[in-house]
Amino acid sequence: MKIDAKGYMDYVAKVAQKLADNRDYVTELDSVTGDGDHWVNMDLGFRKLLEQRSTLEALSLGELFKKIGMLVMSTVGGSSGVLYGSAYIKASQAIGQRESLDVPLLAEVLGAMLDAIMARGGAKPGFKTMIDPLYQGLEAMKAALAVGKGDRAALDALRAGSIAGMEATKAMEAVKGRATYRTDKGVGHLDPGAVTMCYQLQVLADCFSS
Amino acid sequence: MKIDAKGYMDYVAKVAQKLADNRDYVTELDSVTGDGDHWVNMDLGFRKLLEQRSTLEALSLGELFKKIGMLVMSTVGGSSGVLYGSAYIKASQAIGQRESLDVPLLAEVLGAMLDAIMARGGAKPGFKTMIDPLYQGLEAMKAALAVGKGDRAALDALRAGSIAGMEATKAMEAVKGRATYRTDKGVGHLDPGAVTMCYQLQVLADCFSS
Amino acid sequence: MKKIINNPDHVVSEMLEGFAKANPSVVYFPEAEVIARREKKAKVGLVSGGGSGHEPAHAGYVGEGMLDVAVAGNVFASPSADRVLKGIQEASSGKGVLLIIKNYSGDIMNFNLAKELAEMEGIEVDSVVVKDDVAVKDSTYSTGRRGIAGTVLVHKIAGAKAESGASLAEVKRVTEKTIANIRSMGMAMSPCILPGVGKPGFVLGENEIEIGMGIHGEPGVERTAPQSASALAETLLGKILADYDFRGSEVAVMVNGLGSTPLMELHILFNEVEKRLEPLGIKVRKALVGNFMTSLEMAGASVTLLKLDGELATLLAAPSAAPAFRA
Amino acid sequence: MKKIINNPDHVVSEMLEGFAKANPSVVYFPEAEVIARREKKAKVGLVSGGGSGHEPAHAGYVGEGMLDVAVAGNVFASPSADRVLKGIQEASSGKGVLLIIKNYSGDIMNFNLAKELAEMEGIEVDSVVVKDDVAVKDSTYSTGRRGIAGTVLVHKIAGAKAESGASLAEVKRVTEKTIANIRSMGMAMSPCILPGVGKPGFVLGENEIEIGMGIHGEPGVERTAPQSASALAETLLGKILADYDFRGSEVAVMVNGLGSTPLMELHILFNEVEKRLEPLGIKVRKALVGNFMTSLEMAGASVTLLKLDGELATLLAAPSAAPAFRA
Ligand SMILES: Nc1ncnc2c1ncn2[C@@H]1O[C@H](COP(=O)(O)OP(=O)(O)O)[C@@H](O)[C@H]1O
Ligand SMILES: Nc1ncnc2c1ncn2[C@@H]1O[C@H](COP(=O)(O)OP(=O)(O)O)[C@@H](O)[C@H]1O
Ligand SMILES: [Mg+2]
Ligand SMILES: [Mg+2]
Ligand SMILES: [Mg+2]
Ligand SMILES: [Mg+2]
């Protein structure tokens, strides 16, 4: 259960596909609580990464994460661009010289990403953002690892936790982001950024498992 | 069979009603070959006349025609405003001091109107305009009067001729007005101005007959 | 129909009332729907106008360096002769008045009648007729070509010439030269709604656009499938260049929006037009991209080319304080 | 979806390419989607920007007397920090740079990151955040109010101050004063279509309008039946006046169209707004009616009031050569 730079780009391709399959759904979610561009933004970023696949695959893992961060930040813009960009750049520091991700390092990487997103946007878990699935997924994963449950169980915990975090955004009141403009603060609607974050975590867990 | 100023304003009210009943039809005709405003223009003009009904009814017949001409010209604008305006002003000269319209004077009045419209717009019978029903109606009416057929027959001739003239515009190629912009020169479509001219002549004949 | 209006019968007067309040450099004569400059000068007076619904035309072009007076008709209907007469009176300072008329039978008839009335009052009046729309075949027998967005450049150049103190004959000469060297071609993607009618005057399907449609929604030359900006530039320029050989000349280019086409798209279209001119040896000396002559909320655009010589280029670049054309 | 475009991925770059060709006073940096003045001056640099789709904002406001640089993001997405950094570099002449940011989380995050990066390069950078939209409750805890059309007046006043040679601190002071005294409120009547999405982001029925909708189609405060221009002026002004007491003051008024609302309707709305101000002792010193901050082809409008003191009035009236705001 290890993923190197090449494996990570396979993951990127799978996320791109997952996004392509859910265009209308994600667009609709951001149209309801936001400005309707979240799918366009994410799709643009992932297509950009795939365009450069051969160059990216040749990088070391740490370099790859840094480059992904820069590309996403500059191609996507918006909230998601800067948040994912910051997340990947911070994660590349956590990776350092290591050449492949195993499950414990994945937990470290996700932790670095979570910190970076929270630092950049000033939001916390419970604010109805992309943070919620990441936070809950990571917490569940870390709990599983802490009691020595093994990789597979840790990945299952990541899957389940991120889905729970994503679904929990439905009932939350938004504090950051465009859903705050609604008089109902978006209550009753899933956060689009949480949904796409959840997609990524699901695909990631799948990539490790296969 | 005579119509004085008051009777003429009854006629105006009936035309206003006839227009109101045919809003969509007339608008549609001008939308197809022109700019879609012919009904709005005519309706505006006739509503304006009705607003001033009490003042207008008090005028002498010649004064009434002059005042109608001025009001229509300034309220309506566009092609129909200036053409009907010119027509009424010229007709008021034909009426002179006479206090009511009888059928022979009506023929004179319509002749004056026809001349004024042709002079103002430079169009002739056969150009696919409001001129066609007026020209054919008047020709038929004059022919009936010339052979001494009497008022009722003359009015019937006016009715039939104006309908024929209106219907003939369908097959004509436009030479003046907006229908000339069509590559087909409007062939196959009735001219909106001919249709509303025909309405007016029908209502006029009815007013004399009743 | 969702429009920000009160009463369809009052749209023109309420609009002009608002316009005059927002632009202290003009005065509004409500009886005649006339907008005139507040400060008058002893010079040839310039009067234009036409149906409403083409904003910022024509009131937006009243100001130093451009028109003296704009006369507004009802929506899409020529102003009546008495309104135009009032406009001529306001524009007259004794040096003669030039009428800039767009070639529609209603406008021609009303402006000509007004001209006759003004001449009876002793005002010297002359007129020019703009007919820049190559979608329609030119003809001396029939009504002939329509006047569309190119009219704005005619206003600008005539205005600069009049401001320079030139005589009526001189202003007319330069204006006719401008008219002779200007060509436009447009296309529409969605209809507009007359306030008094309340529903669209025509229908364009999700998969149709109309090439050559007029600024009142008058029919165009063909319906095609929607085209890319690049193909559209090719189509519109193609029609213009087939009618007038602009090769090797300096030009002013206007890409005009009909109302609801975003500025983003107009700039993309301009970019495509510009790319095609260079290889033909056509040099863009001045570019104008925006909503200059609209058709209410119609979607679509037109392209205008004006061949410039030294005189026209200088006049086009001269200062203008008109609210909708500051230079 | 009928749009005059070539490829949804390239709308921003093709638009700005066209914009720069049409406006020789600016230069375009394609890698960063930055539009900057061609002639630089030693003065405080002013940078604004945001998602595209709001044209003429922001590139149209680059010019002498207004912005030095506009940075464009993708449609409705904040420009990335590296683009903003390039903008700051272009605007910097050693006298410091002020960022005018609209209050959206994406913009705040990207502009702040760019500020940090520029400071690491030794450029002095400060920033202000415009939040004029009274549709949203203000809050220090959450994202708070959006920045909408009032931003254009902020650009104008900051631009005039910077042009005068004032220090960064002085320019910031006057800009913050402007922001503190400005309020806007808008409403939408029809949706807009993102080029990359191809269909409307929301639906408004034939019998609905949305009061308080944002310039990206973010939700408003209520849906109502369509209203007359008079009722609408009442509604929008009502919300503004409930938030800030403009009574007895001199103001600038902006009636801004969101894209496909005809100028005719904007002037009718302005006329209604103006009528209501006089009885409240509010004097309109400057009026702006037009499309200043749009949302692609959305139909609708916003009303902005800015309280003027002598300083702000003078700066607002100062010359500007920006293509979309000539004064
Ligand atoms: N301050 C923030 N912290 C964390 N996530 C945020 C923040 N602001 C917005 N988001 C996330 O970004 C998503 C929206 O992204 P996107 O639509 O691409 O950008 P924008 O809001 O700029 O249009 C939201 O659904 C939310 O999950
Ligand atoms: N030169 C002309 N001579 C006679 N009738 C004309 C002329 N031009 C237009 N018309 C008539 O006017 C009608 C159109 O009127 P209307 O729609 O009110 O004005 P506009 O064409 O200015 O929009 C046409 O259907 C035609 O009958
Ligand atoms: Mg979004
Ligand atoms: Mg018509
Ligand atoms: Mg008309
Ligand atoms: Mg966005």
Side-chain angles (χ1 to χ4, degrees):
Chain A
M1 288 200 172
K2 277 176 178 279
I3 290 185
D4 60 5
K6 195 167 170 316
Y8 201 80
M9 288 307 294
D10 292 342
Y11 155 75
V12 165
K14 284 187 185 131
V15 174
Q17 188 55 51
K18 178 88 187 172
L19 283 169
D21 294 343
N22 288 280
R23 168 180 172 148
D24 289 354
Y25 175 62
V26 174
T27 294
E28 175 66 21
L29 289 175
D30 195 34
S31 297
V32 172
T33 57
D35 61 348
D37 65 351
H38 183 62
W39 180 87
V40 174
N41 293 343
M42 296 299 291
D43 174 67
L44 192 66
F46 276 88
R47 279 196 288 127
K48 185 75 181 185
L49 298 180
L50 286 184
E51 270 171 28
Q52 313 222 354
R53 187 171 188 165
S54 54
T55 332
L56 291 173
E57 280 178 348
L59 299 175
S60 73
L61 191 67
E63 284 295 312
L64 172 66
F65 268 61
K66 185 163 170 215
K67 186 76 194 170
I68 289 180
M70 311 270 283
L71 278 173
V72 166
M73 192 177 304
S74 68
T75 318
V76 177
S79 303
S80 4
V82 65
L83 292 169
Y84 277 102
S86 306
Y88 270 96
I89 289 168
K90 187 87 183 265
S92 98
Q93 293 166 355
I95 291 170
Q97 302 308 318
R98 287 175 279 189
E99 273 309 333
S100 63
L101 282 179
D102 56 14
V103 173
L105 179 54
L106 176 64
E108 257 185 76
V109 159
L110 295 179
M113 287 182 155
L114 178 61
D115 289 348
I117 293 174
M118 287 178 26
R120 179 57 61 206
K124 299 202 181 84
F127 278 25
K128 196 184 184 85
T129 70
M130 58 170 72
I131 289 174
D132 294 302
L134 177 56
Y135 173 76
Q136 292 199 29
L138 178 59
E139 286 299 300
M141 184 184 189
K142 286 197 297 193
L145 288 176
V147 298
K149 278 202 179 168
D151 288 358
R152 203 162 288 275
L155 292 170
D156 286 344
L158 174 62
R159 275 198 198 86
S162 63
I163 291 179
M166 177 268 283
E167 283 175 348
T169 64
K170 191 162 188 168
M172 292 176 187
E173 283 195 7
V175 182
K176 293 277 169 182
R178 296 182 197 270
T180 57
Y181 306 138
R182 289 180 63 104
T183 11
D184 65 7
K185 302 295 169 200
V187 171
H189 302 280
L190 289 172
D191 175 65
V195 169
T196 56
M197 172 64 86
C198 186
Y199 287 164
Q200 291 169 77
L201 296 174
Q202 300 301 309
V203 176
L204 194 53
D206 292 350
C207 285
F208 266 94
S209 314
S210 65
Chain B
M1 290 199 173
K2 277 176 178 280
I3 290 185
D4 59 6
K6 195 166 171 319
Y8 201 79
M9 287 308 294
D10 293 341
Y11 155 75
V12 165
K14 284 185 184 133
V15 174
Q17 188 54 51
K18 178 89 187 172
L19 283 169
D21 295 343
N22 289 279
R23 166 180 172 149
D24 289 353
Y25 175 62
V26 173
T27 295
E28 175 66 21
L29 290 175
D30 194 33
S31 297
V32 172
T33 57
D35 61 348
D37 65 351
H38 183 61
W39 181 86
V40 174
N41 293 343
M42 296 298 291
D43 173 67
L44 192 66
F46 276 87
R47 277 195 289 128
K48 185 76 181 183
L49 297 180
L50 286 184
E51 270 171 29
Q52 314 221 354
R53 189 170 187 165
S54 54
T55 332
L56 292 172
E57 280 178 349
L59 299 174
S60 73
L61 192 67
E63 284 296 312
L64 173 66
F65 269 60
K66 186 165 169 213
K67 186 75 194 172
I68 288 180
M70 311 270 284
L71 278 173
V72 165
M73 191 177 304
S74 67
T75 318
V76 178
S79 301
S80 5
V82 64
L83 292 170
Y84 278 103
S86 306
Y88 270 96
I89 290 167
K90 187 87 181 266
S92 94
Q93 292 165 355
I95 292 169
Q97 303 307 319
R98 287 176 279 189
E99 272 309 333
S100 63
L101 282 179
D102 57 14
V103 173
L105 178 55
L106 175 64
E108 258 184 77
V109 159
L110 294 178
M113 287 181 155
L114 177 62
D115 290 348
I117 292 174
M118 288 179 25
R120 178 57 60 203
K124 300 202 181 81
F127 278 23
K128 195 183 185 85
T129 69
M130 58 170 71
I131 290 174
D132 293 303
L134 176 56
Y135 173 76
Q136 291 200 29
L138 178 59
E139 286 299 301
M141 184 186 190
K142 287 198 298 196
L145 289 176
V147 296
K149 277 201 178 170
D151 287 358
R152 203 161 288 273
L155 292 170
D156 288 343
L158 174 62
R159 274 197 198 87
S162 64
I163 290 178
M166 178 268 284
E167 283 175 347
T169 65
K170 191 161 189 167
M172 293 176 188
E173 283 194 6
V175 182
K176 293 277 170 183
R178 295 182 196 267
T180 58
Y181 305 139
R182 288 179 64 104
T183 10
D184 65 7
K185 302 294 168 203
V187 171
H189 302 279
L190 289 173
D191 175 65
V195 169
T196 56
M197 173 64 87
C198 186
Y199 287 165
Q200 291 168 77
L201 296 173
Q202 300 303 310
V203 175
L204 195 52
D206 292 350
C207 285
F208 267 95
S209 313
S210 66
Chain C
M1 177 191 55
K2 292 187 270 188
K3 285 188 183 283
I4 308 179
I5 64 174
N6 292 310
N7 177 334
D9 284 355
H10 303 152
V11 289
V12 175
S13 55
E14 293 182 8
M15 158 179 78
L16 294 180
E17 199 173 302
F19 179 82
K21 284 179 192 166
N23 296 284
S25 62
V26 303
V27 276
Y28 170 47
F29 297 92
E31 347 66 64
E33 308 300 0
V34 156
I35 291 284
R37 292 193 207 177
R38 186 176 293 278
E39 307 282 341
K40 292 194 186 175
K41 268 196 184 170
K43 63 181 249 322
V44 169
L46 279 186
V47 176
S48 188
S52 292
H54 305 302
E55 292 65 36
H58 298 81
Y61 302 121
V62 172
E64 198 168 344
M66 239 166 140
L67 302 178
D68 294 279
V69 164
V71 189
N74 300 332
V75 178
F76 289 2
S78 162
S80 56
D82 57 331
R83 293 189 189 174
V84 181
L85 174 61
K86 171 70 177 170
I88 296 173
Q89 290 162 341
E90 284 303 316
S92 167
S93 68
K95 310 249 168 184
V97 171
L98 185 70
L99 307 182
I100 300 176
I101 313 175
K102 290 193 297 315
N103 192 33
Y104 297 96
S105 24
D107 291 67
I108 300 274
M109 290 187 279
N110 283 290
F111 278 74
N112 280 345
L113 176 52
K115 178 168 179 284
E116 290 163 28
L117 297 172
E119 283 164 348
M120 280 159 56
E121 294 184 5
I123 304 179
E124 190 189 1
V125 185
D126 209 336
S127 65
V128 295
V129 177
V130 186
K131 27 171 108 181
D132 54 327
D133 187 358
V134 301
V136 179
K137 267 226 196 63
D138 206 7
S139 155
T140 45
Y141 170 60
S142 75
T143 304
R145 286 189 167 158
R146 301 177 286 226
I148 58 172
T151 311
V152 176
L153 298 174
V154 177
H155 293 163
K156 176 67 189 69
I157 289 174
K161 189 70 185 175
E163 212 72 46
S164 78
S167 68
L168 179 55
E170 265 295 283
V171 176
K172 182 175 182 183
R173 178 193 59 74
V174 120
T175 310
E176 301 240 90
K177 179 164 76 172
T178 308
I179 292 172
N181 289 297
I182 199 161
R183 296 292 184 281
S184 301
M185 178 79 191
M187 67 83 160
M189 300 194 294
S190 80
C192 60
I193 300 179
L194 291 172
V197 171
K199 50 187 193 188
F202 57 92
V203 178
L204 279 170
E206 196 32 51
N207 259 314
E208 296 181 314
I209 62 171
E210 184 149 343
I211 306 292
M213 175 165 274
I215 55 170
H216 310 90
E218 303 100 332
V221 290
E222 54 168 340
R223 291 204 172 185
T224 72
Q227 302 178 11
S228 67
S230 158
L232 216 49
E234 196 71 37
T235 306
L236 299 181
L237 261 187
K239 301 262 183 198
I240 290 174
L241 296 172
D243 191 81
Y244 185 106
D245 189 357
F246 284 95
R247 274 176 305 174
S249 51
E250 284 203 334
V251 296
V253 179
M254 172 181 274
V255 171
N256 173 58
L258 293 184
S260 64
T261 292
L263 263 186
M264 171 184 277
E265 298 175 33
L266 299 179
H267 281 104
I268 293 174
L269 179 59
F270 170 71
N271 193 35
E272 293 296 337
V273 167
E274 196 272 351
K275 277 187 201 166
R276 281 165 179 76
L277 295 178
E278 220 246 84
L280 298 170
I282 303 176
K283 192 175 167 300
V284 180
R285 178 122 171 203
K286 171 84 188 166
L288 294 147
V289 182
N291 294 323
F292 294 95
M293 175 81 73
T294 62
S295 302
L296 296 168
E297 66 279 274
M298 203 184 284
S302 64
V303 173
T304 299
L305 258 61
L306 165 63
K307 179 173 170 168
L308 296 172
D309 58 12
E311 182 180 37
L312 297 187
T314 308
L315 292 169
L316 186 58
S320 160
F325 200 119
R326 299 211 194 254
Chain D
M1 178 192 53
K2 292 187 270 187
K3 286 188 182 282
I4 308 180
I5 63 174
N6 292 309
N7 177 336
D9 284 354
H10 303 152
V11 290
V12 176
S13 55
E14 294 183 7
M15 159 179 77
L16 293 180
E17 197 173 304
F19 179 82
K21 284 178 189 167
N23 295 284
S25 62
V26 303
V27 276
Y28 169 46
F29 297 92
E31 347 67 66
E33 308 301 1
V34 157
I35 291 283
R37 292 195 205 176
R38 187 176 293 280
E39 308 281 345
K40 292 193 186 174
K41 268 196 184 171
K43 64 179 244 330
V44 169
L46 280 186
V47 176
S48 188
S52 292
H54 305 302
E55 291 67 34
H58 297 82
Y61 302 121
V62 172
E64 199 169 342
M66 237 165 141
L67 301 178
D68 294 278
V69 164
V71 189
N74 300 332
V75 178
F76 289 2
S78 162
S80 56
D82 58 329
R83 292 188 190 175
V84 180
L85 174 62
K86 171 71 177 168
I88 295 173
Q89 290 162 342
E90 284 303 317
S92 166
S93 68
K95 310 247 169 187
V97 172
L98 185 70
L99 307 181
I100 299 175
I101 313 175
K102 291 193 297 313
N103 192 33
Y104 297 95
S105 26
D107 292 66
I108 299 275
M109 291 187 277
N110 283 291
F111 278 74
N112 280 344
L113 176 52
K115 179 169 178 283
E116 291 163 27
L117 296 172
E119 281 165 349
M120 281 160 57
E121 293 184 5
I123 304 178
E124 190 189 0
V125 185
D126 210 337
S127 66
V128 295
V129 177
V130 186
K131 27 171 107 181
D132 54 327
D133 187 356
V134 301
V136 180
K137 267 224 195 67
D138 207 5
S139 156
T140 45
Y141 171 61
S142 74
T143 304
R145 285 191 167 158
R146 300 175 287 224
I148 58 171
T151 310
V152 177
L153 299 174
V154 177
H155 293 163
K156 176 67 188 70
I157 288 173
K161 189 70 185 175
E163 212 71 44
S164 78
S167 68
L168 179 55
E170 265 295 282
V171 176
K172 183 175 179 181
R173 178 191 59 76
V174 118
T175 310
E176 301 240 270
K177 178 163 77 171
T178 309
I179 292 172
N181 289 296
I182 200 161
R183 295 293 184 280
S184 301
M185 178 77 191
M187 68 84 171
M189 301 193 294
S190 79
C192 60
I193 300 179
L194 291 173
V197 172
K199 51 186 191 188
F202 56 94
V203 178
L204 278 171
E206 198 31 54
N207 259 314
E208 297 181 313
I209 63 171
E210 185 149 342
I211 305 293
M213 175 164 274
I215 57 171
H216 310 90
E218 303 101 333
V221 290
E222 55 168 340
R223 292 204 170 184
T224 72
Q227 302 178 10
S228 67
S230 158
L232 216 48
E234 195 71 37
T235 305
L236 299 180
L237 262 187
K239 301 261 183 199
I240 290 174
L241 296 172
D243 190 80
Y244 184 106
D245 189 358
F246 284 95
R247 273 174 306 173
S249 51
E250 283 203 335
V251 296
V253 179
M254 173 182 273
V255 171
N256 173 57
L258 293 184
S260 64
T261 292
L263 264 185
M264 172 184 275
E265 297 175 33
L266 299 180
H267 280 104
I268 292 174
L269 179 59
F270 170 72
N271 193 36
E272 293 296 337
V273 167
E274 196 273 349
K275 276 187 201 166
R276 281 165 178 76
L277 295 179
E278 222 245 84
L280 298 170
I282 303 177
K283 191 174 168 298
V284 180
R285 178 120 170 206
K286 171 83 186 166
L288 294 147
V289 183
N291 293 322
F292 293 95
M293 175 80 74
T294 62
S295 303
L296 296 168
E297 66 279 277
M298 202 185 284
S302 64
V303 173
T304 298
L305 257 60
L306 165 63
K307 179 172 168 171
L308 296 172
D309 58 13
E311 182 181 37
L312 298 187
T314 308
L315 292 169
L316 186 58
S320 160
F325 200 118
R326 297 207 196 259

